[in-house]
Amino acid sequence: MEKVVKFLKEAETYYLATVDGDQPRVRPFGTVNVFDGKLYIQTGKVKDVSKQIHANPKFEICAFKNGEWLRVAGTLVEDDRREAKQAMLDAYPSLQGMYSADDANTEVFYIKDATATFSSFMGAPEVVKF
Ligand SMILES: Cc1cc2nc3c(=O)[nH]c(=O)nc-3n(C[C@H](O)[C@H](O)[C@H](O)COP(=O)(O)O)c2cc1C
């Protein structure tokens, strides 16, 4: 998991795909935080992306950096604990103007049953599960 976290942080932006009925949806995301040994992402409950995850928690993310790309597929699990949200906001002070651990909007999800695949044009893909 550490290699995945490092890649996503260095890439800065990743693209999160969700399922909306029979329509894939994708958008840029940036939040990544390790808390309690799990990899978390953050969003707001008011967003369509949140509603899609609650309806169907399967996701895939893709990021690209220095000729290598990473895909992570799995399931997102909401963690409503205040400390999980606060840890994310501590990692991203810039979010603290928009979100707080005590508002009704901030939400964090951790990744469960992840299959991470590192690929490049140079060699065989490397698969990591966590
Ligand atoms: C570089 C970048 C990083 C972003 N990171 C996040 C993020 O971590 N969480 C989030 O909720 N929105 C993030 N956004 C904003 C979402 O992409 C935006 O709100 C999007 O419209 C949400 O998807 P939706 O419209 O399907 O709900 C980011 C936007 C950019 C440009």
Side-chain angles (χ1 to χ4, degrees):
M1 191 183 85
E2 291 71 25
K3 190 176 173 186
V4 170
V5 173
K6 184 171 185 288
F7 190 102
L8 292 175
K9 282 188 186 287
E10 287 178 2
E12 293 186 3
T13 303
Y14 59 89
Y15 297 88
L16 169 66
T18 51
V19 179
D20 182 13
D22 69 349
Q23 176 65 54
R25 304 280 182 197
V26 66
R27 77 284 291 160
F29 258 50
T31 49
V32 181
N33 190 47
V34 177
F35 178 75
D36 227 2
K38 301 188 185 84
L39 195 169
Y40 282 74
I41 67 169
Q42 179 275 341
T43 193
K45 289 185 183 176
V46 297
K47 295 191 181 189
D48 289 346
V49 58
S50 166
K51 293 173 184 127
Q52 288 154 21
I53 293 166
H54 284 286
N56 183 342
K58 287 188 179 171
F59 78 99
E60 186 155 286
I61 69 182
C62 184
F64 175 77
K65 177 179 67 87
N66 295 340
E68 199 180 5
W69 61 99
L70 166 66
R71 286 188 288 186
V72 184
T75 301
L76 291 167
V77 180
E78 185 184 3
D79 185 343
D80 203 32
R81 288 180 296 168
R82 187 183 188 285
E83 48 278 33
K85 298 179 199 178
Q86 190 59 52
M88 176 65 79
L89 296 176
D90 289 346
Y92 291 91
S94 60
L95 289 180
Q96 292 175 14
M98 283 180 288
Y99 295 99
S100 116
D102 298 309
D103 67 23
N105 185 37
T106 301
E107 105 185 302
V108 293
F109 296 91
Y110 66 84
I111 295 179
K112 193 179 131 198
D113 299 333
T115 299
T117 308
F118 294 90
S119 303
S120 76
F121 292 119
M122 304 301 283
E126 178 192 349
V127 178
V128 179
K129 295 192 185 250
F130 61 92

